[in-house]
Amino acid sequence: MTLDEQARDVLRKNDKGGYTLPTHGLYPYQWNWDSAFAAWGFTTFDPDRGWTELETLMSGQWEDGMLPHILFHRVDPGYFPGPDVWQGRGPIPSSGISQPPVAATFMAKMLAMDPSGEPRARAIWPKLNAWHRWFMDWRLDRGAVCVTHPWEAGRDNAPDWDGAMKAINADDVGDYTRRDTSHVDPAMRPTKYDYDRYLKLVQLGVSVNWDQSKLRDINPFRVADPTMTFTLLRAQRDMAAMGRRFGEGVSEIEGWIEILEAGAETLWNPEIAGYDSRDVHAGTFNGVLSNASALCWYAGLNDDRALPAIAGMLNATRYGLASYDPEGEEFEPLRYWRGPTWPIMSYLVGSGMEEQGVTDLGTRIRDDTARLMELNGFAEYYSPLDGTPAGGETFTWTAAVWLGWAGDNRENQLGDAGCRQSN
Ligand code: DGY
């Protein structure tokens, strides 16, 4: 099979009928930003299925506009923490936090690929707008978007959160059994210290029935995050463009774009010469250079100040952009968000650079990303040092990145590399 065929096969095999699993076993539900990548990946060969993916995702939206990070369509004992722990209050059993808002930007791409999907996009647009309003209402700090749980940023155990995690007392979290470490080598996953605090934050949310006004007062974890700020800024730009096409009023969205642009500037940390996360309660930068620091181009900010540090990160490894500065003290090349390279972030960063004319670095990230998949298949993440595949296997969003971006024009360059993964 060619890699294109293998990638389509991954999507089809992870398809549960209307929604797609990130991968079997480790993640047996519908995840928010994974699903947006899946919708885009499907649209490269089955647009109808792509639109259905987005529609299923939106069907889990809460009344207040929040779009959960996990929708538990069918209970699966192979995952913890499940719906009984989260006690979400939406129309479908769900978690109580959200995830990076990339869906609008993928919808804009899907519309360009499949203009016949416009009626479906028009129906989804107001729902996405309500979700984005929820972020603007509840998650801003000086215009930057905050996360209230490390999982909300998608970068679960990134060193960004280490300081804020220390402020969480999890002594009374109780006993629980993790499932993730039965699917994947524990050395590639977050630690028990991390999980105690992840669960403590869930328990706090449940204690106030996920009421955001109450949660804001009692949650010790509030971090202004480049992942959220840059993805929402980009999403608002795409929403404004689609809204104009659909005849919707977009002046409110234009105001939000200005707020978020100002907020992005509050994440610029001169000490690391990069965009950083800010611990809102402590009032300090976290001093972390990550792949999220490089999302400014994706957000439409062509910022030359950010180039040297990101180029330095790229030069320090062989394969792609590491999730955390390879020169940083906490760097671990195989542990989840503390070093590995993630094709989905590489796509967001690399395609953003290409759009903004930073083509040398953008093309390099794209080529590295493609090479990883050619050599080692569609893994969840990889060591940026030697390309070792890690985490879950046959991963939906990695396959989507191949189909939508990394694999463009590559099948004919592969020679026999395209057959290496055949089984
Ligand atoms: C997990 O279970 O590891 C997920 O990343 C949480 O969203």
Side-chain angles (χ1 to χ4, degrees):
M1 274 204 270
T2 66
L3 277 179
D4 278 3
E5 287 164 344
Q6 290 174 54
R8 289 193 282 265
D9 200 47
V10 168
L11 264 61
R12 283 200 202 92
K13 286 192 172 140
N14 289 338
D15 181 359
K16 295 296 278 183
Y19 69 95
T20 313
L21 309 182
T23 188
H24 284 274
L26 184 60
Y27 302 117
Y29 297 111
Q30 184 177 24
W31 259 260
N32 183 326
W33 68 329
D34 293 72
S35 191
F37 276 88
W40 169 60
F42 269 117
T43 304
T44 64
F45 64 99
D46 185 353
D48 175 54
R49 180 63 189 79
W51 290 108
T52 302
E53 183 81 26
L54 282 190
E55 287 159 354
T56 310
L57 178 64
M58 299 317 297
S59 72
Q61 185 164 35
W62 290 16
E63 230 167 63
D64 63 4
M66 203 275 282
L67 192 62
H69 102 293
I70 307 176
L71 298 181
F72 301 110
H73 292 285
R74 277 171 249 168
V75 174
D76 188 315
Y79 182 81
F80 176 86
D84 51 326
V85 179
W86 280 99
Q87 297 180 39
R89 53 178 173 77
I92 293 174
S94 75
S95 67
I97 57 169
S98 199
Q99 247 182 350
V102 294
T105 299
F106 281 121
M107 186 166 91
K109 289 189 186 303
M110 289 162 59
L111 195 52
M113 293 154 80
D114 175 35
S116 75
E118 181 162 331
R120 299 171 85 172
R122 279 176 183 264
I124 294 169
W125 190 94
K127 298 176 187 172
L128 288 171
N129 197 37
W131 180 30
H132 297 165
R133 176 174 288 108
W134 178 86
F135 280 116
M136 300 305 292
D137 284 348
W138 295 112
R139 294 302 166 84
L140 291 195
D141 179 79
R142 295 164 55 207
V145 185
C146 300
V147 285
T148 59
H149 190 297
W151 286 349
E152 209 157 37
R155 299 185 298 123
D156 298 14
N157 64 341
D160 299 65
W161 328 126
D162 290 0
M165 290 279 269
K166 272 195 201 129
I168 301 171
N169 180 343
D171 290 350
D172 60 351
V173 77
D175 295 331
Y176 60 92
T177 305
R178 284 174 67 173
R179 302 285 175 203
D180 58 316
T181 43
S182 65
H183 300 290
V184 165
D185 180 351
M188 297 176 181
R189 294 288 303 174
T191 60
K192 169 160 169 51
Y193 171 94
D194 294 323
Y195 257 76
D196 283 354
R197 280 151 191 80
Y198 298 155
L199 286 178
K200 183 68 198 179
L201 291 177
V202 174
Q203 290 169 358
L204 277 177
V206 169
S207 76
V208 293
N209 197 22
W210 299 105
D211 176 332
Q212 294 300 319
S213 60
K214 294 186 182 146
L215 199 48
R216 192 166 47 192
D217 292 338
I218 61 169
N219 192 338
F221 188 95
R222 192 170 178 88
V223 182
D225 166 43
T227 335
M228 288 303 206
T229 305
F230 287 137
T231 54
L232 186 59
L233 176 51
R234 171 59 185 266
Q236 301 286 24
R237 295 191 203 280
D238 289 316
M239 287 294 282
M242 285 187 285
R244 281 183 208 107
R245 169 171 169 174
F246 299 162
E248 301 274 357
V250 297
S251 54
E252 184 181 40
I253 299 178
E254 285 165 348
W256 287 343
I257 290 170
E258 282 179 27
I259 292 170
L260 291 165
E261 283 178 343
E265 191 54 31
T266 73
L267 299 179
W268 179 260
N269 179 355
E271 279 186 22
I272 62 166
Y275 288 100
D276 195 359
S277 49
R278 278 194 287 109
D279 184 333
V280 172
H281 291 312
T284 51
F285 277 118
N286 292 316
V288 175
L289 204 55
S290 72
N291 48 3
S293 309
L295 287 173
C296 52
W297 293 279
Y298 174 78
L301 304 174
N302 193 355
D303 191 344
D304 286 349
R305 291 176 306 176
L307 274 175
I310 301 304
M313 277 177 70
L314 273 169
N315 288 338
T317 61
R318 182 157 174 216
Y319 291 105
L321 187 61
S323 44
Y324 170 62
D325 184 359
E327 314 283 342
E329 281 173 20
E330 310 298 330
F331 179 73
E332 291 181 73
L334 286 176
R335 197 184 287 279
Y336 216 34
W337 289 92
R338 298 179 85 84
T341 181
W342 289 70
I344 48 125
M345 289 294 280
S346 296
Y347 160 70
L348 299 178
V349 171
S351 67
M353 286 174 159
E354 288 172 337
E355 286 167 352
Q356 294 295 326
V358 186
T359 38
D360 49 345
L361 294 188
T363 304
R364 183 160 146 199
I365 293 174
R366 187 202 284 245
D367 286 347
D368 279 3
T369 304
R371 184 54 64 192
L372 284 167
M373 298 181 201
E374 287 161 7
L375 293 173
N376 289 317
F378 302 112
E380 186 178 9
Y381 44 94
Y382 308 79
S383 162
L385 303 181
D386 61 11
T388 302
E393 296 169 357
T394 53
F395 227 82
T396 292
W397 63 10
T398 308
V401 167
W402 173 268
L403 290 171
W405 182 65
D408 281 358
N409 307 319
R410 284 190 72 93
E411 285 291 355
N412 55 1
Q413 301 171 25
L414 287 178
D416 65 353
C419 303
R420 235 174 260 158
Q421 297 303 316
S422 296
N423 44 27

